[in-house]
Amino acid sequence: MKKVGLIILGVFMVLSLVACSNSGDSSSDGVIELTLWNDWTEDRPENTVYKEIIASFNEEHEDIRIKVESIPHDQYETKLRTQAAGKQLPDMMRVWPGARTAPLAEGGALLPLNSIIDHWEGLIPDAILQDYALDGNYYAIPSNISETSLIFYYKDLLQEVGFDEFPSTYVELKRLIQALNDKDITPIALGNKSIWPLQSVYISTIADRYTGSNFLKEALNGTGSFENEQFIKALSVIDELTKLNGFNEDMNTIDEAQSRSEFIKGETAMHFAGSWALGPIIGSVENLDNIGVAPFPTFEGGEGDPSKISGVAGGGIAVNSNLSDEEQEAAFTFLKYYYSDNLFEQLVQANIIVPADVKMDDSIPQVFRDANSYAQGGLSPVYDATLTPELTDMINNGLQSITLGEKTPEELAKEMQKELEKNK
Amino acid sequence: MHLTKKSKVAIIIGILPALFLYILFAIVPIIQSFYYSLMEWNGISDMTFIGFDNFKKLFQEPLFWSSVKNNIYVVIASVLGQIPIALFIALLLNRKLKGVRIFRTIGFLPVVLSTVVISLTWSLIYNSKNGMLNELLRTVGLDGLTQNWLGDTKWTMVAVLITIIWQFIGLYLIIFLAALQNVPEEVLEAAKMDGASEWVTTFKITIPMIWSTIIVAVILCISGSLKTFDLIYVMTNGGPAHSTEVMALYMFNETFSKLNYGYGSAVSVFIFFFSLILIFITTKLLKGKMI
């Protein structure tokens, strides 16, 4: 009899272990709880804005509670994809547009927002909403525009080597780099250990200047090719800048944030980055009047529109497709509350470029106004928001190989074209 | 002994929860990996059965083979670096030295440090501009020897290997010390009385007596090296230009960055069999030497 008791005890222990893993979503008091995943771990003004708006939403709505879970940026997407594979996505999640959201949308994990999209008519231009749309379905509302190619520079260092204005052509930029090197000033702070900056920041705009904005679309649908001469010329710019000693020598061993702090410390004359660097630079540089921001230079023989800058809408929150009707309704209520004039006005104060047309008062620094104005010329596609994950990985690694002299621009272009044809 | 006979049922029940968890979290995922490796799957959409195509693709992929090669470097460096150094230090520390405890603590310290901390610390040491290593070389006038340690494909693997060796010496040091303390004092004393030199005692008596521990250490070392991931992930992320990419990192990138869950699973399956075979061969070789 004792043995039977022991066996029952054993089985019970096992079962209780299994049972522990289950927990209910909605609490018993009738409050709908929705989990929202994001990457707002860094102490940045815009993250505070996001969190404060959610806090005030929770205060104003007694029947809905948004639970925020923040995951560091570099791990966030990996976690999202892993959880998607295990069908364990949260109720709402921050997503990036284009190719990065496509697998989730195509796999049916995200809920289309078409039924409420009219709410933002007149506030956010449709062209920008399209960044988060796929086959006519809208999957998220953008809160910001991320320009990915801006050049930050120290005015006094440039003057020291005889440049009163930032070079507008590539030939002049090369002269500037030469002049800085002659004075033993490191020209550009680059942190490419995480391998995306050369692609996202540099190539997205440089290639657009050479090839024009239809190139990526045409290459991907087969009417164009990556072995396009203009594209190869764009890749060669990276090779040339490396050979000119344009970058710090530890560029492949430090990450993007480290390179930005090198620039902020004043150890280099320039830093190429996106609008995400505006906040940190404005927040930590001592004499802001000494900082200029310029668009990328023009390239001779380029077919693209030089007034464009690469950029993409961001800050979208997508909704899980497996929510109950009640939860869906709650999620929509939240999205309408969240993406409002109030959000955009506060984001501008936090030096974030927004998709909506909001008023700017005199407290907004000139650097921000300048950067903001570059978006007016139109946005050209960002490579990693457009290419498949395979191709993104290939160009990211390929550009790093070019800086090490292990691959030529022609080889990289050929490799990318081969990858494309393989999937036909 | 009679105790175990008497309550076999109790023992079975006792191990049941652990066995259940082990099957659920170790065996089942391995079987699942086998299953996924036969599929074309991006992790989200539906799977399509493609037979052994993932493996065919795997064997034709030069980047995969370079990750295998790098992984073998890690195995060799670990087995030939960590084990002999750890054994040597353990033999030294096994004597009645003053302050042995402090040395043991220092030796074990890298093991308890988080790998992320180690990776970041060593990245700083290796930094080409203001890292400690290059500073040191410059201070002693060896400017010619300074290198871009983590940025130059010729040196990154060496730099990473040194860090890996450093990280795990302490672990084997403790294992060997424990084994050495179990070597009976009488045997050593008898050897001394027979006039055996310390050298002979060490090689003819001490080391053979702890040989089975050494085999276990080597196997731990090989399987650990084949799983190497976190240190390289943080230190170089497999770069620059794939020069420090190991199998686990290749699998991770394929699966989670490029969303090739099926292909990534095929890599995992390969790692599984590769480890099994390697460990089988080493055990055979070392066991033969034992007698």
Short mmCIF file of all heavy atoms in Angstrom, two decimals, chain A residues 261-317:
data_model
loop_
_atom_site.label_atom_id
_atom_site.label_comp_id
_atom_site.label_asym_id
_atom_site.label_seq_id
_atom_site.Cartn_x
_atom_site.Cartn_y
_atom_site.Cartn_z
N SER A 261 30.07 57.88 -28.96
CA SER A 261 30.67 58.57 -27.82
C SER A 261 32.09 59.05 -28.14
O SER A 261 32.53 60.06 -27.60
CB SER A 261 30.63 57.72 -26.55
OG SER A 261 31.23 56.49 -26.74
N GLU A 262 32.79 58.36 -29.04
CA GLU A 262 34.10 58.86 -29.50
C GLU A 262 33.91 60.25 -30.11
O GLU A 262 34.67 61.17 -29.86
CB GLU A 262 34.69 57.94 -30.58
CG GLU A 262 35.02 56.56 -30.12
CD GLU A 262 36.38 56.49 -29.47
OE1 GLU A 262 37.38 56.65 -30.18
OE2 GLU A 262 36.42 56.27 -28.23
N PHE A 263 32.86 60.37 -30.96
CA PHE A 263 32.58 61.64 -31.61
C PHE A 263 32.19 62.69 -30.57
O PHE A 263 32.70 63.81 -30.59
CB PHE A 263 31.47 61.47 -32.64
CG PHE A 263 30.99 62.77 -33.24
CD1 PHE A 263 31.76 63.44 -34.19
CD2 PHE A 263 29.77 63.32 -32.85
CE1 PHE A 263 31.32 64.64 -34.73
CE2 PHE A 263 29.34 64.53 -33.39
CZ PHE A 263 30.11 65.18 -34.33
N ILE A 264 31.31 62.30 -29.64
CA ILE A 264 30.86 63.27 -28.63
C ILE A 264 32.04 63.75 -27.78
O ILE A 264 32.13 64.92 -27.43
CB ILE A 264 29.75 62.65 -27.75
CG1 ILE A 264 28.48 62.49 -28.59
CG2 ILE A 264 29.47 63.50 -26.52
CD1 ILE A 264 27.36 61.72 -27.92
N LYS A 265 32.99 62.84 -27.52
CA LYS A 265 34.18 63.24 -26.75
C LYS A 265 35.09 64.16 -27.56
O LYS A 265 36.08 64.65 -27.05
CB LYS A 265 34.98 61.98 -26.35
CG LYS A 265 34.46 61.32 -25.09
CD LYS A 265 35.42 60.23 -24.61
CE LYS A 265 35.21 58.92 -25.37
NZ LYS A 265 36.18 57.87 -25.06
N GLY A 266 34.79 64.31 -28.85
CA GLY A 266 35.58 65.20 -29.68
C GLY A 266 36.82 64.55 -30.26
O GLY A 266 37.76 65.23 -30.67
N GLU A 267 36.86 63.22 -30.29
CA GLU A 267 38.05 62.55 -30.80
C GLU A 267 38.08 62.40 -32.31
O GLU A 267 39.08 62.01 -32.88
CB GLU A 267 38.20 61.20 -30.11
CG GLU A 267 38.49 61.39 -28.64
CD GLU A 267 38.84 60.11 -27.91
OE1 GLU A 267 38.88 59.06 -28.56
OE2 GLU A 267 39.10 60.20 -26.71
N THR A 268 36.93 62.65 -32.95
CA THR A 268 36.89 62.62 -34.40
C THR A 268 36.14 63.85 -34.89
O THR A 268 35.41 64.48 -34.13
CB THR A 268 36.16 61.37 -34.94
OG1 THR A 268 34.76 61.50 -34.63
CG2 THR A 268 36.70 60.09 -34.33
N ALA A 269 36.34 64.17 -36.17
CA ALA A 269 35.71 65.38 -36.70
C ALA A 269 34.27 65.13 -37.14
O ALA A 269 33.44 66.02 -37.12
CB ALA A 269 36.53 65.92 -37.87
N MET A 270 34.01 63.88 -37.60
CA MET A 270 32.67 63.60 -38.13
C MET A 270 32.15 62.28 -37.57
O MET A 270 32.89 61.42 -37.12
CB MET A 270 32.73 63.45 -39.67
CG MET A 270 33.05 64.71 -40.41
SD MET A 270 33.16 64.34 -42.19
CE MET A 270 34.88 63.94 -42.38
N HIS A 271 30.82 62.13 -37.67
CA HIS A 271 30.18 60.87 -37.33
C HIS A 271 28.98 60.72 -38.25
O HIS A 271 28.15 61.62 -38.31
CB HIS A 271 29.75 60.88 -35.86
CG HIS A 271 29.01 59.64 -35.43
ND1 HIS A 271 29.50 58.37 -35.67
CD2 HIS A 271 27.83 59.46 -34.79
CE1 HIS A 271 28.65 57.48 -35.18
NE2 HIS A 271 27.62 58.12 -34.65
N PHE A 272 28.94 59.62 -38.99
CA PHE A 272 27.81 59.37 -39.88
C PHE A 272 26.82 58.50 -39.11
O PHE A 272 27.19 57.41 -38.66
CB PHE A 272 28.24 58.63 -41.15
CG PHE A 272 29.13 59.40 -42.08
CD1 PHE A 272 29.85 60.50 -41.65
CD2 PHE A 272 29.24 59.04 -43.42
CE1 PHE A 272 30.68 61.22 -42.52
CE2 PHE A 272 30.05 59.74 -44.30
CZ PHE A 272 30.78 60.83 -43.85
N ALA A 273 25.59 58.98 -38.97
CA ALA A 273 24.61 58.19 -38.20
C ALA A 273 23.21 58.57 -38.63
O ALA A 273 23.01 59.36 -39.54
CB ALA A 273 24.80 58.45 -36.71
N GLY A 274 22.24 58.02 -37.96
CA GLY A 274 20.87 58.34 -38.28
C GLY A 274 20.28 59.31 -37.28
O GLY A 274 20.98 59.78 -36.38
N SER A 275 18.99 59.58 -37.42
CA SER A 275 18.37 60.57 -36.53
C SER A 275 18.33 60.06 -35.09
O SER A 275 18.10 60.84 -34.18
CB SER A 275 16.98 60.92 -37.02
OG SER A 275 16.25 59.76 -37.32
N TRP A 276 18.57 58.75 -34.89
CA TRP A 276 18.62 58.24 -33.51
C TRP A 276 19.78 58.86 -32.72
O TRP A 276 19.78 58.85 -31.50
CB TRP A 276 18.75 56.72 -33.50
CG TRP A 276 19.96 56.21 -34.23
CD1 TRP A 276 21.22 56.13 -33.74
CD2 TRP A 276 20.02 55.74 -35.58
NE1 TRP A 276 22.07 55.63 -34.70
CE2 TRP A 276 21.36 55.39 -35.84
CE3 TRP A 276 19.08 55.58 -36.59
CZ2 TRP A 276 21.78 54.90 -37.08
CZ3 TRP A 276 19.50 55.09 -37.82
CH2 TRP A 276 20.84 54.76 -38.06
N ALA A 277 20.77 59.41 -33.44
CA ALA A 277 21.92 59.99 -32.74
C ALA A 277 21.65 61.44 -32.31
O ALA A 277 22.40 62.00 -31.51
CB ALA A 277 23.15 59.95 -33.64
N LEU A 278 20.58 62.05 -32.85
CA LEU A 278 20.29 63.46 -32.53
C LEU A 278 20.16 63.69 -31.03
O LEU A 278 20.83 64.56 -30.47
CB LEU A 278 18.98 63.88 -33.20
CG LEU A 278 19.04 64.38 -34.64
CD1 LEU A 278 17.64 64.43 -35.23
CD2 LEU A 278 19.70 65.75 -34.72
N GLY A 279 19.30 62.89 -30.38
CA GLY A 279 19.05 63.06 -28.95
C GLY A 279 20.34 62.97 -28.13
O GLY A 279 20.69 63.91 -27.43
N PRO A 280 21.06 61.83 -28.27
CA PRO A 280 22.29 61.70 -27.49
C PRO A 280 23.31 62.81 -27.77
O PRO A 280 23.96 63.29 -26.85
CB PRO A 280 22.85 60.35 -27.96
CG PRO A 280 21.68 59.59 -28.44
CD PRO A 280 20.70 60.59 -28.96
N ILE A 281 23.43 63.24 -29.04
CA ILE A 281 24.41 64.28 -29.34
C ILE A 281 23.97 65.62 -28.75
O ILE A 281 24.73 66.30 -28.06
CB ILE A 281 24.66 64.38 -30.86
CG1 ILE A 281 25.42 63.14 -31.34
CG2 ILE A 281 25.43 65.65 -31.20
CD1 ILE A 281 25.68 63.07 -32.82
N ILE A 282 22.69 65.97 -28.98
CA ILE A 282 22.19 67.23 -28.44
C ILE A 282 22.29 67.21 -26.91
O ILE A 282 22.62 68.21 -26.27
CB ILE A 282 20.74 67.48 -28.90
CG1 ILE A 282 20.71 67.75 -30.41
CG2 ILE A 282 20.09 68.63 -28.13
CD1 ILE A 282 19.35 67.84 -31.02
N GLY A 283 22.05 66.04 -26.33
CA GLY A 283 22.04 65.93 -24.88
C GLY A 283 23.41 65.96 -24.24
O GLY A 283 23.54 66.34 -23.08
N SER A 284 24.47 65.59 -24.98
CA SER A 284 25.74 65.48 -24.26
C SER A 284 26.90 66.31 -24.81
O SER A 284 27.95 66.35 -24.20
CB SER A 284 26.16 64.00 -24.14
OG SER A 284 25.80 63.29 -25.27
N VAL A 285 26.69 66.98 -25.95
CA VAL A 285 27.78 67.83 -26.44
C VAL A 285 27.75 69.15 -25.67
O VAL A 285 26.67 69.70 -25.41
CB VAL A 285 27.62 68.06 -27.95
CG1 VAL A 285 28.51 69.19 -28.41
CG2 VAL A 285 27.97 66.79 -28.70
N GLU A 286 28.94 69.64 -25.31
CA GLU A 286 28.96 70.85 -24.47
C GLU A 286 28.52 72.10 -25.22
O GLU A 286 27.67 72.84 -24.78
CB GLU A 286 30.36 71.05 -23.89
CG GLU A 286 30.50 70.34 -22.56
CD GLU A 286 31.89 70.44 -22.01
OE1 GLU A 286 32.54 71.48 -22.28
OE2 GLU A 286 32.33 69.48 -21.34
N ASN A 287 29.12 72.31 -26.40
CA ASN A 287 28.76 73.50 -27.16
C ASN A 287 28.01 73.08 -28.42
O ASN A 287 28.60 72.75 -29.43
CB ASN A 287 30.02 74.29 -27.51
CG ASN A 287 29.71 75.49 -28.36
OD1 ASN A 287 28.54 75.87 -28.50
ND2 ASN A 287 30.74 76.08 -28.93
N LEU A 288 26.69 73.10 -28.31
CA LEU A 288 25.86 72.59 -29.40
C LEU A 288 26.00 73.42 -30.67
O LEU A 288 25.87 72.91 -31.78
CB LEU A 288 24.40 72.54 -28.95
CG LEU A 288 23.48 71.69 -29.81
CD1 LEU A 288 23.99 70.28 -29.93
CD2 LEU A 288 22.08 71.70 -29.24
N ASP A 289 26.31 74.73 -30.51
CA ASP A 289 26.45 75.59 -31.70
C ASP A 289 27.61 75.15 -32.59
O ASP A 289 27.70 75.52 -33.75
CB ASP A 289 26.67 77.05 -31.27
CG ASP A 289 25.41 77.61 -30.64
OD1 ASP A 289 24.32 77.11 -30.99
OD2 ASP A 289 25.53 78.52 -29.80
N ASN A 290 28.51 74.39 -32.00
CA ASN A 290 29.70 73.95 -32.75
C ASN A 290 29.40 72.71 -33.59
O ASN A 290 30.22 72.27 -34.38
CB ASN A 290 30.82 73.66 -31.75
CG ASN A 290 32.15 73.45 -32.44
OD1 ASN A 290 32.34 73.90 -33.56
ND2 ASN A 290 33.06 72.75 -31.78
N ILE A 291 28.22 72.11 -33.39
CA ILE A 291 27.87 70.89 -34.11
C ILE A 291 27.01 71.22 -35.33
O ILE A 291 26.02 71.95 -35.22
CB ILE A 291 27.06 69.93 -33.21
CG1 ILE A 291 27.86 69.54 -31.98
CG2 ILE A 291 26.62 68.69 -33.99
CD1 ILE A 291 28.92 68.51 -32.22
N GLY A 292 27.41 70.71 -36.46
CA GLY A 292 26.60 70.87 -37.66
C GLY A 292 26.09 69.52 -38.11
O GLY A 292 26.65 68.49 -37.77
N VAL A 293 24.99 69.56 -38.87
CA VAL A 293 24.52 68.30 -39.44
C VAL A 293 24.31 68.53 -40.93
O VAL A 293 23.77 69.55 -41.35
CB VAL A 293 23.24 67.80 -38.73
CG1 VAL A 293 22.10 68.80 -38.82
CG2 VAL A 293 22.82 66.44 -39.28
N ALA A 294 24.82 67.61 -41.74
CA ALA A 294 24.76 67.78 -43.19
C ALA A 294 24.16 66.54 -43.83
O ALA A 294 24.27 65.44 -43.29
CB ALA A 294 26.17 68.01 -43.74
N PRO A 295 23.55 66.73 -44.99
CA PRO A 295 23.12 65.55 -45.74
C PRO A 295 24.32 64.94 -46.43
O PRO A 295 25.40 65.56 -46.49
CB PRO A 295 22.13 66.11 -46.75
CG PRO A 295 22.57 67.51 -46.96
CD PRO A 295 23.22 67.97 -45.69
N PHE A 296 24.19 63.73 -46.96
CA PHE A 296 25.31 63.12 -47.67
C PHE A 296 25.63 63.95 -48.91
O PHE A 296 24.76 64.59 -49.48
CB PHE A 296 24.96 61.67 -48.04
CG PHE A 296 25.32 60.69 -46.98
CD1 PHE A 296 24.97 60.92 -45.67
CD2 PHE A 296 26.02 59.53 -47.29
CE1 PHE A 296 25.30 60.02 -44.66
CE2 PHE A 296 26.36 58.62 -46.29
CZ PHE A 296 26.01 58.87 -44.98
N PRO A 297 26.90 63.94 -49.33
CA PRO A 297 27.28 64.73 -50.51
C PRO A 297 26.72 64.13 -51.80
O PRO A 297 26.17 63.03 -51.79
CB PRO A 297 28.80 64.64 -50.50
CG PRO A 297 29.12 63.39 -49.79
CD PRO A 297 28.05 63.22 -48.77
N THR A 298 26.87 64.86 -52.89
CA THR A 298 26.44 64.33 -54.18
C THR A 298 27.61 63.59 -54.82
O THR A 298 28.78 63.86 -54.53
CB THR A 298 26.01 65.45 -55.12
OG1 THR A 298 27.12 66.35 -55.26
CG2 THR A 298 24.82 66.21 -54.58
N PHE A 299 27.27 62.63 -55.65
CA PHE A 299 28.31 61.84 -56.31
C PHE A 299 28.24 62.08 -57.81
O PHE A 299 27.16 61.99 -58.40
CB PHE A 299 28.11 60.35 -55.98
CG PHE A 299 28.29 60.04 -54.53
CD1 PHE A 299 27.23 60.18 -53.64
CD2 PHE A 299 29.52 59.64 -54.04
CE1 PHE A 299 27.40 59.92 -52.29
CE2 PHE A 299 29.69 59.37 -52.69
CZ PHE A 299 28.63 59.52 -51.82
N GLU A 300 29.37 62.36 -58.38
CA GLU A 300 29.42 62.66 -59.81
C GLU A 300 28.96 61.45 -60.63
O GLU A 300 29.38 60.32 -60.36
CB GLU A 300 30.85 63.01 -60.21
CG GLU A 300 30.92 64.02 -61.33
CD GLU A 300 32.37 64.34 -61.68
OE1 GLU A 300 33.16 64.55 -60.73
OE2 GLU A 300 32.68 64.37 -62.87
N GLY A 301 28.09 61.71 -61.59
CA GLY A 301 27.61 60.61 -62.43
C GLY A 301 26.49 59.81 -61.82
O GLY A 301 26.02 58.84 -62.40
N GLY A 302 26.05 60.22 -60.61
CA GLY A 302 24.97 59.48 -59.96
C GLY A 302 23.63 59.77 -60.63
O GLY A 302 23.40 60.87 -61.12
N GLU A 303 22.75 58.76 -60.61
CA GLU A 303 21.45 58.91 -61.28
C GLU A 303 20.34 59.23 -60.29
O GLU A 303 19.19 59.40 -60.67
CB GLU A 303 21.11 57.62 -62.03
CG GLU A 303 22.02 57.35 -63.21
CD GLU A 303 21.91 55.91 -63.71
OE1 GLU A 303 21.01 55.18 -63.29
OE2 GLU A 303 22.77 55.54 -64.55
N GLY A 304 20.65 59.23 -58.99
CA GLY A 304 19.62 59.44 -57.98
C GLY A 304 19.36 60.91 -57.71
O GLY A 304 20.09 61.79 -58.18
N ASP A 305 18.30 61.16 -56.94
CA ASP A 305 17.94 62.52 -56.56
C ASP A 305 18.72 62.91 -55.31
O ASP A 305 18.49 62.36 -54.23
CB ASP A 305 16.43 62.55 -56.30
CG ASP A 305 15.96 63.90 -55.78
OD1 ASP A 305 16.82 64.79 -55.60
OD2 ASP A 305 14.75 64.04 -55.56
N PRO A 306 19.68 63.85 -55.43
CA PRO A 306 20.55 64.16 -54.29
C PRO A 306 19.85 64.90 -53.15
O PRO A 306 20.45 65.11 -52.10
CB PRO A 306 21.66 65.04 -54.91
CG PRO A 306 21.12 65.53 -56.19
CD PRO A 306 20.02 64.61 -56.63
N SER A 307 18.58 65.27 -53.33
CA SER A 307 17.92 65.94 -52.21
C SER A 307 17.27 64.91 -51.28
O SER A 307 16.76 65.25 -50.23
CB SER A 307 16.86 66.91 -52.72
OG SER A 307 15.81 66.19 -53.33
N LYS A 308 17.33 63.63 -51.68
CA LYS A 308 16.71 62.61 -50.84
C LYS A 308 17.68 62.10 -49.78
O LYS A 308 18.89 62.18 -49.93
CB LYS A 308 16.29 61.42 -51.71
CG LYS A 308 14.97 61.59 -52.40
CD LYS A 308 14.62 60.27 -53.03
CE LYS A 308 13.26 60.32 -53.70
NZ LYS A 308 12.98 59.03 -54.32
N ILE A 309 17.09 61.54 -48.75
CA ILE A 309 17.90 60.93 -47.70
C ILE A 309 17.21 59.62 -47.33
O ILE A 309 15.99 59.52 -47.40
CB ILE A 309 18.00 61.90 -46.49
CG1 ILE A 309 18.85 61.31 -45.39
CG2 ILE A 309 16.63 62.25 -45.95
CD1 ILE A 309 19.21 62.34 -44.35
N SER A 310 18.00 58.61 -47.00
CA SER A 310 17.37 57.33 -46.70
C SER A 310 16.67 57.42 -45.36
O SER A 310 17.17 58.03 -44.42
CB SER A 310 18.41 56.21 -46.69
OG SER A 310 19.33 56.44 -45.66
N GLY A 311 15.52 56.81 -45.30
CA GLY A 311 14.79 56.86 -44.05
C GLY A 311 13.58 55.98 -44.10
O GLY A 311 13.17 55.52 -45.17
N VAL A 312 13.02 55.75 -42.95
CA VAL A 312 11.90 54.85 -42.88
C VAL A 312 11.10 55.20 -41.64
O VAL A 312 11.63 55.76 -40.68
CB VAL A 312 12.44 53.39 -42.84
CG1 VAL A 312 13.08 53.07 -41.51
CG2 VAL A 312 11.37 52.39 -43.20
N ALA A 313 9.80 54.92 -41.71
CA ALA A 313 8.97 55.19 -40.54
C ALA A 313 9.27 54.14 -39.48
O ALA A 313 9.66 53.03 -39.80
CB ALA A 313 7.51 55.14 -40.92
N GLY A 314 9.11 54.52 -38.23
CA GLY A 314 9.41 53.57 -37.16
C GLY A 314 8.48 53.76 -35.98
O GLY A 314 7.52 54.53 -36.04
N GLY A 315 8.76 53.04 -34.93
CA GLY A 315 7.99 53.19 -33.69
C GLY A 315 6.60 52.60 -33.76
O GLY A 315 5.73 52.97 -32.97
N GLY A 316 6.37 51.69 -34.72
CA GLY A 316 5.04 51.10 -34.84
C GLY A 316 4.81 50.02 -33.80
O GLY A 316 5.72 49.32 -33.41
N ILE A 317 3.54 49.92 -33.36
CA ILE A 317 3.18 48.85 -32.44
C ILE A 317 2.17 47.95 -33.15
O ILE A 317 1.14 48.43 -33.63
CB ILE A 317 2.58 49.41 -31.13
CG1 ILE A 317 3.67 50.19 -30.39
CG2 ILE A 317 2.03 48.29 -30.26
CD1 ILE A 317 3.17 50.89 -29.15
#
